Amino acid sequence: MRKPAHPLLRGYVWVMMVFMALPLVVVIGASFNRGAAIRFPPEGMTLHWYAEVWRNADMVRSATNSLLLAVCATLISFIIGVPAALALVRHVHRHREALQAFLLSPMTVPAIVLGIAFLVFFGWTGMGLSFTTLLIAHVIITVPYVIRSVAGVYLGVAVSIEEAAKVLGADPWQLFTKVTLPLIMPGVVAGGLFSFIMSFDNVPVSIFLTRRETLTLPVYVMSYLVHNFDPTIAAVSSVQVLFTTAAIIVIEKFYGIRRLTETI
Amino acid sequence: MRMRVVLALLLPVLLLLAVFFVVPIITVLAASFDTSDPQRVAGWAAYWKLASDTYYVRVFIQTFVFAIALTVLTLLFGYPIASFIARTSAVERGIVIFLVIAPLLISMVVRSYGWQLILGNSGLVNTVLAAAGLVPVHFMAGWTAVTIASVHVLLPFAVISIAGVLSSLDRSIEESAAVLGASPVKVFFLVTLPMALNGLVTAATFVFLLAMGSFVTIMMLGGRGTMVVPLLIYQQVTITYDQPFASAMAAVLMVVTLGMLFGQFRLLRKRSV
């Protein structure tokens, strides 16, 4: 049995939890505000601003762009990142540290530097700014998260388990789908989650690479707030909070949110 | 045969990083030496301007001090939460982790906007203060609002990585120390901290790197006095269209950041030997 937490520690943690939740509560509250000026607490209830979000074609499109971008970036990161992580842990012996440092190196460059580097690069090569180039940039940002989480979990998996499967006659595909993949699943979920967040929330890179058709939600919201100050943003943000909560509940249901801290 | 399989597994990601990460980084270095436009400060002149102009020197120093201060603050605030996660009941742990992770999934822009509603001149805090008959406080456009919002942004990353470190520690060593008569303070400083140090430094690095590269909170909550290098780079590109000078700033930011990382790496090496 572990020693239970000190009441003072528990008190501190719950104060901090209020701090963590506060901006979200305020944004949700402001989204129902009747007045056009943003107020918290709200002056009266309305769903007007939610309808306003739906009517704003640019906002809806930027939200779809962001979602599509984050999903694609995460999927590509899985496809190229998971095999690399597996090879790194099991098959690379010489220069493993150097290789690992290289694979994770996009994480060590300040995000804004990556942003301007992509801008200059896509300009010079004539690739221009499109959804594809934006996606490439996002994959560079997200793939290290997948590699790090998967390699971290795979390092703790005993070689003997896979060897036993091989001895019992599993072919490489069976070995991967029936043995390795279930074992590394915690790393895949954690890496995928981080990858999605890092893409969906990215501003320092997206802000240089988006055009009107490829605008992402955070970039759109930022530019919107420069000229407008009405609760539409609060409404679209509340929708995002709703989706996020749903996503977390799904992860919790099928996987257990607690296990995330064991893998990141 | 085995060599070929390994290569096949690694090649896609290596190629991608070589073409779309290494080359762009080199291009940005090259772009800082693009002297084709005589109107722009470029090449060594740009680097000299960064090193000699007191404004740029001040912004660079400010950026590093702010990132380091944020890292320290976030670790100090986050450590107790992580240690609570490690020792509380399963139900409470689930709720706390949910509350820590949830803000992470909501755009940084939205969270900064939430802080505008709370800390603004007619925001929540000042409404409460006015109702209580107190003098309003001016948080915005200064370091106070920026620091509060940045800690809020970085705290989840710190808590998650520290909780990961703490859950991997062998708790029986702490218990033995306590049984042998060490006070909780002694256990923390002489047993837990040394065991967790490498992991804590990794967490600190992670937070520091995130703090160095982003400018969203500062752009939305800061003012004239809170300029940092990432925001300056952004303005050089989008407002003054001075790509060579912005590239020079990006190069310096990158080199100094990597220098600090390397120093930290050396420090870790020494400790683990």
Side-chain angles (χ1 to χ4, degrees):
Chain A
M1 264 310 276
R2 269 175 197 167
K3 213 171 48 169
H6 194 279
L8 260 178
L9 177 62
R10 169 169 286 125
Y12 166 79
V13 168
W14 284 103
V15 168
M16 289 308 284
M17 290 308 109
V18 172
F19 169 74
M20 291 314 288
L22 194 61
L24 310 185
V25 172
V26 167
V27 167
I28 295 172
S31 72
F32 296 111
N33 191 15
R34 184 163 293 161
I38 291 192
R39 280 279 150 64
F40 187 88
E43 293 153 329
M45 302 290 275
T46 175
L47 288 175
H48 172 75
W49 304 110
Y50 287 86
E52 206 61 27
V53 170
W54 193 243
R55 245 175 269 140
N56 186 334
D58 282 341
M59 200 181 280
V60 173
R61 187 171 49 190
S62 65
T64 356
N65 280 347
S66 279
L67 204 60
L68 191 66
L69 189 63
V71 169
C72 290
T74 305
L75 285 179
I76 297 175
S77 298
F78 279 151
I79 294 170
I80 61 173
V82 173
L86 299 183
L88 179 74
V89 171
R90 281 290 187 267
H91 303 296
V92 179
H93 302 292
R94 290 170 59 204
H95 314 300
R96 183 198 281 174
E97 271 190 20
L99 182 64
Q100 184 182 335
F102 177 67
L103 292 177
L104 302 185
S105 56
M107 289 170 87
T108 60
V109 175
I112 184 86
V113 178
L114 276 181
I116 186 170
F118 288 130
L119 179 72
V120 173
F121 175 75
F122 290 137
W124 278 14
T125 53
M127 292 177 77
L129 304 181
S130 64
F131 186 82
T132 313
T133 48
L134 186 63
L135 179 60
I136 293 172
H138 274 232
V139 170
I140 297 292
I141 298 168
T142 57
V143 79
Y145 287 92
V146 170
I147 295 178
R148 193 177 65 155
S149 296
V150 173
V153 171
Y154 197 45
L155 264 176
V157 171
V159 188
S160 53
I161 303 176
E162 285 161 303
E163 271 166 7
K166 259 187 262 173
V167 170
L168 293 170
D171 61 48
W173 181 246
Q174 283 176 322
L175 183 67
F176 176 70
T177 52
K178 298 252 161 70
V179 182
T180 312
L181 194 59
L183 287 169
I184 59 168
M185 212 49 194
V188 174
V189 173
L193 183 70
F194 258 71
S195 159
F196 187 90
I197 292 170
M198 287 303 172
S199 166
F200 196 80
D201 198 19
N202 185 283
V203 171
V205 169
S206 297
I207 205 163
F208 289 126
L209 302 182
T210 45
R211 298 194 312 197
R212 189 153 185 268
E213 316 82 67
T214 55
L215 269 185
T216 62
L217 189 59
V219 175
Y220 177 79
V221 169
M222 259 181 96
S223 61
Y224 187 90
L225 283 174
V226 173
H227 305 290
N228 311 271
F229 210 67
D230 64 49
T232 318
I233 294 301
V236 73
S237 308
S238 303
V239 175
Q240 208 182 320
V241 174
L242 196 75
F243 274 116
T244 302
T245 313
I248 292 191
I249 289 171
V250 169
I251 294 178
E252 167 67 26
K253 200 104 190 164
F254 291 101
Y255 180 71
I257 201 97
R258 259 161 261 129
R259 286 165 66 189
L260 284 179
T261 57
E262 290 152 24
T263 49
I264 295 169
Chain B
M1 199 244 52
R2 192 152 160 207
M3 194 63 208
R4 269 180 31 213
V5 174
V6 175
L7 214 59
L9 293 174
L10 281 166
L11 207 58
V13 78
L14 288 178
L15 272 179
L16 189 84
L17 285 180
V19 177
F20 292 109
F21 172 65
V22 177
V23 177
I25 293 293
I26 295 169
T27 10
V28 85
L29 294 177
S32 70
F33 287 94
D34 176 13
T35 47
S36 56
D37 184 350
Q39 298 268 298
R40 306 257 172 261
V41 188
W44 294 115
Y47 290 97
W48 175 244
K49 190 174 166 192
L50 287 176
S52 57
D53 188 319
T54 49
Y55 176 73
Y56 294 110
V57 173
R58 205 189 68 214
V59 172
F60 262 96
I61 292 174
Q62 206 159 277
T63 307
F64 281 100
V65 172
F66 183 56
I68 291 169
L70 274 184
T71 309
V72 172
L73 274 177
T74 312
L75 251 57
L76 284 180
F77 279 112
Y79 186 92
I81 302 174
S83 95
F84 181 75
I85 289 175
R87 63 178 67 191
T88 190
S89 68
V91 177
E92 203 175 19
R93 188 186 326 155
I95 301 171
V96 171
I97 293 177
F98 171 78
L99 285 170
V100 168
I101 292 184
L104 201 64
L105 298 167
I106 286 124
S107 166
M108 230 179 262
V109 178
V110 171
R111 281 176 278 163
S112 303
Y113 168 70
W115 286 111
Q116 284 183 354
L117 299 183
I118 296 167
L119 302 174
N121 288 338
S122 54
L124 180 63
V125 173
N126 279 322
T127 313
V128 172
L129 285 179
L134 293 167
V135 198
V137 185
H138 191 69
F139 296 102
M140 296 289 286
W143 289 109
T144 320
V146 171
T147 307
I148 292 174
S150 302
V151 168
H152 185 264
V153 165
L154 297 171
L155 204 59
F157 293 104
V159 172
I160 293 170
S161 7
I162 300 173
V165 174
L166 293 182
S167 71
S168 68
L169 294 184
D170 184 356
R171 290 274 159 181
S172 60
I173 300 177
E174 289 177 332
E175 275 153 32
S176 317
V179 168
L180 291 171
S183 67
V185 177
K186 254 191 169 165
V187 172
F188 176 75
F189 281 106
L190 297 179
V191 182
T192 316
L193 204 57
M195 283 200 298
L197 199 63
N198 274 5
L200 289 180
V201 174
T202 312
T205 313
F206 188 31
V207 172
F208 175 77
L209 286 168
L210 288 171
M212 283 296 299
S214 80
F215 57 91
V216 176
T217 35
I218 294 177
M219 192 164 158
M220 291 180 67
L221 299 168
R224 270 178 171 280
T226 58
M227 183 54 82
V228 288
V229 180
L231 188 53
L232 208 54
I233 293 174
Y234 173 68
Q235 290 182 350
Q236 289 289 330
V237 174
T238 54
I239 299 168
T240 39
Y241 295 106
D242 194 341
Q243 230 177 49
F245 193 54
S247 301
M249 273 195 275
V252 174
L253 185 70
M254 183 172 65
V255 168
V256 180
T257 310
L258 288 179
M260 292 187 76
L261 273 185
F262 187 69
Q264 174 247 309
F265 182 70
R266 291 282 299 267
L267 208 74
L268 273 185
R269 266 285 171 84
K270 260 189 205 139
R271 281 202 54 85
S272 56
V273 168

